[in-house]
Protein backbone atom coordinates (compact mmCIF):
# COMPACT_ATOMS: atom_id res chain seq x y z
CA UNK A 1 0.00 0.00 0.00
CA UNK A 2 1.15 3.47 -0.78
CA UNK A 3 1.06 6.36 1.66
CA UNK A 4 -2.23 7.55 0.15
CA UNK A 5 -4.18 4.39 1.01
CA UNK A 6 -7.48 4.54 2.85
CA UNK A 7 -5.95 2.96 5.95
CA UNK A 8 -3.47 5.86 6.20
CA UNK A 9 -6.40 8.27 6.45
CA UNK A 10 -8.00 6.58 9.45
CA UNK A 11 -7.40 8.61 12.60
CA UNK A 12 -9.22 6.35 15.04
CA UNK A 13 -11.29 3.21 15.03
CA UNK A 14 -13.70 2.57 17.89
CA UNK A 15 -15.00 -0.97 18.26
CA UNK A 16 -18.02 -2.12 20.23
CA UNK A 17 -16.90 -5.19 22.20
CA UNK A 18 -13.41 -4.83 20.73
CA UNK A 19 -11.61 -5.91 23.89
CA UNK A 20 -12.16 -9.56 23.00
CA UNK A 21 -10.33 -9.16 19.66
CA UNK A 22 -6.90 -9.75 21.14
CA UNK A 23 -5.13 -9.82 17.75
CA UNK A 24 -6.06 -6.19 17.02
CA UNK A 25 -3.39 -3.61 17.66
CA UNK A 26 -4.62 -0.79 19.87
CA UNK A 27 -3.37 2.39 21.46
CA UNK A 28 -5.89 2.54 24.26
CA UNK A 29 -8.49 0.21 25.75
CA UNK A 30 -11.64 1.95 27.03
CA UNK A 31 -14.24 -0.19 28.78
CA UNK A 32 -17.84 0.94 29.30
CA UNK A 33 -19.47 -0.25 32.52
CA UNK A 34 -23.19 0.16 33.17
CA UNK A 35 -23.50 2.02 36.48
CA UNK A 36 -26.98 0.62 37.09
CA UNK A 37 -26.06 -3.04 36.51
CA UNK A 38 -22.28 -3.25 36.25
CA UNK A 39 -21.56 -6.95 36.25
CA UNK A 40 -25.01 -8.44 35.69
CA UNK A 41 -25.13 -11.82 37.43
CA UNK A 42 -21.29 -12.00 37.23
CA UNK A 43 -21.49 -14.92 34.79
CA UNK A 44 -19.96 -15.23 31.35
CA UNK A 45 -21.95 -15.63 28.15
CA UNK A 46 -24.25 -17.50 27.57
CA UNK A 47 -25.24 -17.66 31.27
CA UNK A 48 -24.71 -13.94 31.87
CA UNK A 49 -23.73 -10.69 30.16
CA UNK A 50 -19.96 -10.83 30.72
CA UNK A 51 -17.77 -11.61 27.74
CA UNK A 52 -14.71 -12.15 29.96
CA UNK A 53 -14.05 -12.53 33.70
CA UNK A 54 -13.78 -9.28 35.65
CA UNK A 55 -10.04 -9.85 35.99
CA UNK A 56 -9.74 -9.04 32.26
CA UNK A 57 -10.33 -5.40 33.20
CA UNK A 58 -6.64 -5.29 34.14
CA UNK A 59 -6.01 -4.87 30.36
CA UNK A 60 -8.14 -1.72 30.27
CA UNK A 61 -6.60 1.74 30.29
CA UNK A 62 -9.79 3.63 31.16
CA UNK A 63 -13.24 2.74 32.48
CA UNK A 64 -16.25 4.85 31.62
CA UNK A 65 -19.09 4.39 34.09
CA UNK A 66 -22.23 4.90 32.04
CA UNK A 67 -25.58 5.91 33.60
CA UNK A 68 -23.69 7.20 36.62
CA UNK A 69 -26.44 9.76 37.24
CA UNK A 70 -28.99 6.95 37.69
CA UNK A 71 -26.87 4.85 40.07
CA UNK A 72 -26.78 5.65 43.76
CA UNK A 73 -23.52 6.62 45.50
CA UNK A 74 -23.27 3.26 47.29
CA UNK A 75 -23.27 1.39 43.95
CA UNK A 76 -20.79 3.80 42.38
CA UNK A 77 -18.46 3.38 45.35
CA UNK A 78 -18.76 -0.43 45.11
CA UNK A 79 -17.96 -0.33 41.37
CA UNK A 80 -14.94 1.90 41.94
CA UNK A 81 -13.76 -0.39 44.75
CA UNK A 82 -14.02 -3.45 42.48
CA UNK A 83 -12.10 -1.66 39.73
CA UNK A 84 -9.36 -0.54 42.14
CA UNK A 85 -8.91 -4.13 43.32
CA UNK A 86 -8.43 -5.25 39.72
CA UNK A 87 -6.16 -2.36 38.68
CA UNK A 88 -5.24 0.23 41.28
CA UNK A 89 -4.40 3.03 38.86
CA UNK A 90 -7.56 2.71 36.73
CA UNK A 91 -8.93 6.12 35.71
CA UNK A 92 -12.74 6.15 35.92
CA UNK A 93 -14.94 8.65 34.08
CA UNK A 94 -18.67 9.15 34.57
CA UNK A 95 -21.32 9.67 31.89
CA UNK A 96 -25.06 10.09 31.69
CA UNK A 97 -27.61 9.88 28.91
CA UNK A 98 -28.82 13.30 27.87
CA UNK A 99 -31.47 13.06 25.14
CA UNK A 100 -31.83 16.15 22.98
CA UNK A 101 -35.01 15.51 21.00
CA UNK A 102 -37.35 12.89 19.54
CA UNK A 103 -37.64 11.86 15.88
CA UNK A 104 -40.97 11.33 14.21
CA UNK A 105 -41.22 7.78 12.90
CA UNK A 106 -42.47 8.71 9.43
CA UNK A 107 -40.14 11.70 9.07
CA UNK A 108 -36.79 11.35 10.85
CA UNK A 109 -35.79 14.81 9.63
CA UNK A 110 -38.49 16.20 11.96
CA UNK A 111 -37.10 16.69 15.45
CA UNK A 112 -39.56 17.10 18.30
CA UNK A 113 -38.57 18.81 21.56
CA UNK A 114 -38.39 16.71 24.71
CA UNK A 115 -41.18 18.78 26.25
CA UNK A 116 -43.56 17.35 23.65
CA UNK A 117 -44.23 14.47 26.07
CA UNK A 118 -44.93 16.70 29.08
CA UNK A 119 -48.11 15.61 30.86
CA UNK A 120 -48.74 12.77 28.39
CA UNK A 121 -49.09 9.03 28.84
CA UNK A 122 -46.05 7.34 27.29
CA UNK A 123 -45.39 3.76 26.27
CA UNK A 124 -41.65 3.05 26.04
CA UNK A 125 -40.85 0.21 23.63
CA UNK A 126 -37.27 -0.97 23.64
CA UNK A 127 -35.02 -3.58 22.08
CA UNK A 128 -31.80 -2.75 23.86
CA UNK A 129 -29.65 -4.55 26.39
CA UNK A 130 -30.57 -2.45 29.42
CA UNK A 131 -33.93 -0.70 29.07
CA UNK A 132 -34.13 0.65 32.63
CA UNK A 133 -31.96 3.67 31.81
CA UNK A 134 -34.09 4.45 28.74
CA UNK A 135 -37.33 4.28 30.75
CA UNK A 136 -35.96 6.28 33.68
CA UNK A 137 -34.73 8.93 31.25
CA UNK A 138 -38.24 9.28 29.79
CA UNK A 139 -39.71 9.44 33.31
CA UNK A 140 -37.38 12.34 34.15
CA UNK A 141 -38.52 14.33 31.11
CA UNK A 142 -41.95 14.92 32.62
CA UNK A 143 -44.49 12.47 31.24
CA UNK A 144 -47.70 12.04 33.25
CA UNK A 145 -47.35 8.23 33.24
CA UNK A 146 -44.70 5.95 31.70
CA UNK A 147 -45.42 2.32 30.83
CA UNK A 148 -42.99 -0.04 29.12
CA UNK A 149 -42.64 -3.03 26.84
CA UNK A 150 -39.12 -4.45 26.84
CA UNK A 151 -37.91 -6.84 24.18
CA UNK A 152 -34.52 -8.54 23.99
CA UNK A 153 -31.47 -6.73 22.66
CA UNK A 154 -31.60 -6.45 18.83
CA UNK A 155 -35.09 -8.00 18.82
CA UNK A 156 -36.53 -8.35 15.32
CA UNK A 157 -40.13 -7.19 15.68
CA UNK A 158 -42.89 -9.24 14.12
CA UNK A 159 -46.62 -8.78 13.65
CA UNK A 160 -47.41 -10.40 17.04
CA UNK A 161 -45.18 -7.82 18.75
CA UNK A 162 -46.98 -4.95 17.02
CA UNK A 163 -50.26 -6.44 18.20
CA UNK A 164 -48.92 -6.54 21.79
CA UNK A 165 -48.03 -2.87 21.50
CA UNK A 166 -51.50 -2.02 20.15
CA UNK A 167 -53.18 -3.93 22.98
CA UNK A 168 -51.08 -2.09 25.58
CA UNK A 169 -51.97 1.24 23.95
CA UNK A 170 -55.70 0.43 24.13
CA UNK A 171 -55.36 -0.45 27.83
CA UNK A 172 -53.48 2.78 28.55
CA UNK A 173 -55.98 4.89 26.61
CA UNK A 174 -58.89 3.32 28.48
CA UNK A 175 -57.18 3.86 31.83
CA UNK A 176 -56.06 7.47 31.31
CA UNK A 177 -58.64 8.75 28.80
CA UNK A 178 -56.08 10.10 26.34
CA UNK A 179 -54.14 8.68 23.43
CA UNK A 180 -50.68 7.53 24.58
CA UNK A 181 -47.44 8.47 22.86
CA UNK A 182 -45.15 5.59 21.85
CA UNK A 183 -41.42 6.10 22.18
CA UNK A 184 -39.14 3.50 20.60
CA UNK A 185 -35.42 3.21 21.10
CA UNK A 186 -33.54 3.81 17.85
CA UNK A 187 -32.26 0.23 17.90
CA UNK A 188 -35.50 -1.32 16.65
CA UNK A 189 -36.02 -3.50 13.57
CA UNK A 190 -39.48 -4.28 12.25
CA UNK A 191 -40.14 -6.90 9.57
Amino acid sequence: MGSNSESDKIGAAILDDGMQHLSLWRNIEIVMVNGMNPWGNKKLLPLGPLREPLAALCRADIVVLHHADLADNENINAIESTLQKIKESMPVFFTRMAPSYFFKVKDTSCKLPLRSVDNTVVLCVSAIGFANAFVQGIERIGALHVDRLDFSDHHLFQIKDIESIRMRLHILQAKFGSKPVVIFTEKVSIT
Side-chain angles (χ1 to χ4, degrees), residues 90-102:
M90 181 79 71
V92 179
F93 295 90
F94 302 92
T95 67
R96 64 181 178 88
M97 292 291 283
S100 302
Y101 46 81
F102 297 110

Side-chain angles (χ1 to χ4, degrees), residues 34 36-37 67 70 126 128-135 148 153:
N34 183 341
M36 295 177 69
N37 188 21
H67 303 309
L70 299 176
S126 66
I128 56 177
F130 190 74
N132 287 349
F134 164 60
V135 173
R148 65 192 288 171
D153 197 14

